[in-house]
Amino acid sequence: MRDPLAHFLLAGAVIWGLLALRGEPVDPAERTIVLSREEQAALALGFERTMGRPPTDGELAAQIDRWVREEILYREALRLGLDQGDPAVRRRLAAKMDELAGAEVETSSPSEEVLRQWHSANAERFGGGGEVTFEQLYFDSEKGALDALDEPRPRGMAISLPRGMDGVTIDEASRVFGTQFVGEISQLPVSHEWQGPLPSGFGWHLVRLMKRSGVATQPFESVRDKVEADWRNGTLANRRAEAYRLLRDAYTVEIE
Amino acid sequence: MIKRFGLLAAPVLLASCGMPGAGGADEAKSGDGTNTIELAEFPDRPYWGDTHLHTDVSVDAFGFGVRLGAEDALKFARGEEVIATTGTAARLDRPLDFLVIADHSDAMGATRRLYDAPRMMVRDPTLRRWRDMMHESPEQSTRAVAELITAAANDEIPEALRDPERQAKATRDLWDRHLALLDRYNDPGTFTAFAGFEWTLMPGGNNLHRVVMFRDGSAKTGEVVPYPGLDGDVTGLWDYMEAYEEKTAGKVLAIPHNSNLSNGMMFELIGPDGGPMSADYARRRAAREPVVEVTQIKGDSETHSFLSPNDEFAGFGDAGWDLGNLPLTAKTTPDMFAGSYVRSALLRGLTLEQRMGANPYAFGLIGSTDSHTALATADEDNFFGKHTGNEPKSDRAMLPQNLGTRQGRFGWHYLASGYAAAWARGNTRAEIFDAFMRREVYATTGSRMVVRLFAGFDFSESDWEGDWVRSGYTRGVPMGGDLVDAGKAPVFLVSALKDPDGANLDRVQIVKGWLDADGTQREKVYNIAWSGREGASADALPPVGDTVDRAQASYANSIGAAELRATWSDPDYRAGQRAFYYVRVLEIPTPNWVLFDAKRFGLKLPSEVVEASVTQERAYSSPVWLRPRKTPGDAPPIMK
């Protein structure tokens, strides 16, 4: 998003949002409606955002008439309590609060420094994942696997699984052998001896775990896009959570 | 006179599509992936994906309430946790390898823009009413979309929403941003993000929809925009595809889906103009549409019990969907079934080929979700529904689910289905797309079984003892391939390995379709391998059993097999026969998503619904065709 017009419109939209939510709640007793210059500008901006051109005087006047009508009906609706118990109003306002909390995160371009900090603070999310090298033998029963373990050169049963995997990520191994097996193998010590039997979705396995490398974090340069997306999501979520926490702390909730 | 609304996308929209950051995608990510990773000699594992996912720029998905965009969809498919529209955390147990986001090309982003447009700018009374309904409540929003879909089916979409010029700019902006996002997420060797869209042809509400999938990155796909059109006929889409390939030297294919909702129109014996089908049309269709989506959330299209009365496993996922077309504006009658289901279409293909030397229906099979939640999940215990209106909540299984009517289809008719598996040499756009082109793909209803099929003339039981995959590729053809009649019965090597995180296997079958000497269409299902049941004969194989605890939504892998293999020679072969053979693999019975819901939400279900919710998940391979000699094959060459 490098388009200055878009930036301008966005900034306007944020200000507009702030203006819309700012200030005192409408006092139902209040019978004076003031449409400030800022609010007129906001109306014009809204028009421009939609139509790609500023409104003519006539169009702006029509906008203002409509706004006044809506404002009057809105105040009268509040006076009648029509906002109470309306799930749409409730959801809409709650969503607006969330949007407000994260508004500028969506559009800002974080600096290199911010991203590098994020990368090192959340290194585990940019890991290459651990890698394993192993051989395995398959058996359809635990007993079969146990018996084979006592033999000098155990032989497994035929199944369409690779005899071993060389330097693959945990993810890759779990795609082939399933999550249960990978969970089991991550508990094993590295050793050239046959170990097991380990259960999997297929049956039982004897395993020789030759190598297991730790989780290496990928260098910042190679995952920059990922870091930025992650920063944006993380920051957005954090701000929303933070804003909510501040508000939440002011309340006592009793669930009866 | 002001007539238009929000062509300038609102900031909300920008945010939802992911903001291009300062760093663009590098070259390896933005091309088709050629020469980016080391490839296996032969396809070494199936790559799993969903070719049919909708996000918030789909006109209906947004109206149904989804607020997740393409970026969330990609993250979820890649295995990350996202928050679904209705607020629950969603995550796949296992990531997918590839994803095609296929938002509707018609009115792309229009409901989102309509929703965001200032009310006064929406002059058209119908649009204004829809806009108000979308703001009013989720229920009203869903109703507005139902009206919109019905209007589309009846060709009554308000002008303001159809005007191609107005749409074009908005679509262009969306598309460019979307392509940039795809390139950023495309990661050769790890995850493939395909550009695509759904083309929504629907004459009279009869579903002729296609998903369009591109092989290329943004440098080429950016030269076009998605092809709109609720009317016309499919040859217009093929013209568009050919023009794209000519202009960019790129590649693109189309995938028909939900033939079960087409009232017999998807696989007709006549041409699109109502006259006899021409060989040219047949050849074009085969070239443009190498695969068909056979199973998805809105039902399964393999075959119907009416068409396959001797197949005890026919009719899976047909209930509710076989009542009528997509919006249920026209009922389905039995004479329509043959044009609505895949097995009968494959048979029709043989007949048409015999008649004119070209087979329009020589397609491979895949599954996909057609989820409108931006969440590509086909897992029974992790089902997020067809659209946001039926994301997990207590009563979704029993709610009526009809676009515009009050009868016939209910929540429990939805399937948590399916996925596409592609036998490729590596995970890149080029490799996976090419696997689709040569039909070396298969469908599952959501489970991730590993299914291999090789066909040749000299395979034997002893092949299993050596490197049988190499033998398969060097002495035969894999699924999707063609065999030329050699005067003797073809022999098949078939292997099915269970999903390591899923249920055991009940049986492996070969479904054969052929033409008799007098041209009569015949079909037969052969049991070729099964678990346990020693001494049982293939013609009288008893059921595998049933371990499903209905109340607990659980099952036990105490029956069934981890792997089933067979070397099978066709006992009904006759010299010169035209035939196709595909593999169907059945798991043991398992609880489907409805029972998981019932347990989770403490729901009391009618007994018929409980029983309908114990199913045998399955895989369908692409067929292998046996062709008489001297017939010019129109299939892609076998990979060597």
Side-chain angles (χ1 to χ4, degrees), chain A residues 35 37 50 52 72 109 141 150 161 164 183 195 227 242:
Chain A
L35 183 62
R37 304 291 293 179
T50 311
I72 289 170
S109 285
S141 71
D150 298 333
L161 286 169
Q195 308 182 66
V227 176
E242 178 62 14

Side-chain angles (χ1 to χ4, degrees), chain A residues 1-2 6 9-10 13 46-53 59 63 66 88 91-92 106-107 138 158-161 171-172 174-180 201-202 224-226 228-229 232-233, chain B residues 2 4-8 11 14-15 19-25 29 45 71 75 78 95-97 115-116 118-121 135-136 138 184-185 468 495 497-498 500-501 504 562-563 565:
Chain A
M1 251 244 332
R2 298 229 183 91
L9 293 176
L10 265 169
F47 183 97
E48 191 167 338
R49 204 180 67 185
T50 311
M51 307 300 299
R53 62 171 177 81
E59 285 164 339
Q63 287 266 53
R66 193 178 141 264
R91 210 175 4 243
R92 180 89 185 123
E106 300 254 21
T107 56
Y138 168 76
I159 189 168
S160 300
L161 286 169
D171 255 357
E172 191 64 23
S174 83
R175 279 176 189 185
V176 178
F177 287 91
T179 46
Q180 185 184 14
F202 301 111
R224 193 191 180 291
D225 286 349
K226 219 167 143 181
E228 181 168 341
R232 185 162 283 122
N233 288 313
Chain B
I2 307 161
R4 58 184 188 167
F5 62 85
L7 279 189
L8 270 182
L14 291 176
M19 313 283 289
K29 298 172 117 188
R45 77 166 178 86
E71 185 148 17
K75 281 200 174 95
R78 225 168 49 169
L96 292 173
D97 299 307
Y115 179 89
D116 289 332
R119 191 168 187 281
M120 66 163 304
M121 298 297 164
H135 279 277
E136 195 173 321
R184 284 214 309 283
Y185 274 79
W468 58 273
S495 142
L497 183 69
K498 69 169 288 200
D501 292 348
N504 284 350
E563 181 174 25
R565 286 177 179 177

Side-chain angles (χ1 to χ4, degrees), chain B residues 242-258:
Chain B
E242 273 157 25
Y244 168 80
E245 294 189 348
E246 241 159 74
K247 183 174 177 177
T248 66
K251 288 202 173 103
V252 58
L253 57 82
I255 309 170
H257 69 87
N258 277 126

Side-chain angles (χ1 to χ4, degrees), chain B residues 544-586:
Chain B
V544 68
D546 179 351
T547 66
V548 177
D549 180 332
R550 273 72 175 158
Q552 290 304 312
S554 64
Y555 67 96
N557 272 329
S558 52
I559 53 173
E563 181 174 25
L564 294 170
R565 286 177 179 177
T567 313
W568 185 79
S569 172
D570 177 8
D572 295 313
Y573 164 82
R574 299 286 176 276
Q577 198 173 65
R578 285 172 198 278
F580 64 80
Y581 304 84
Y582 68 88
V583 168
R584 185 170 67 183
V585 183
L586 300 179

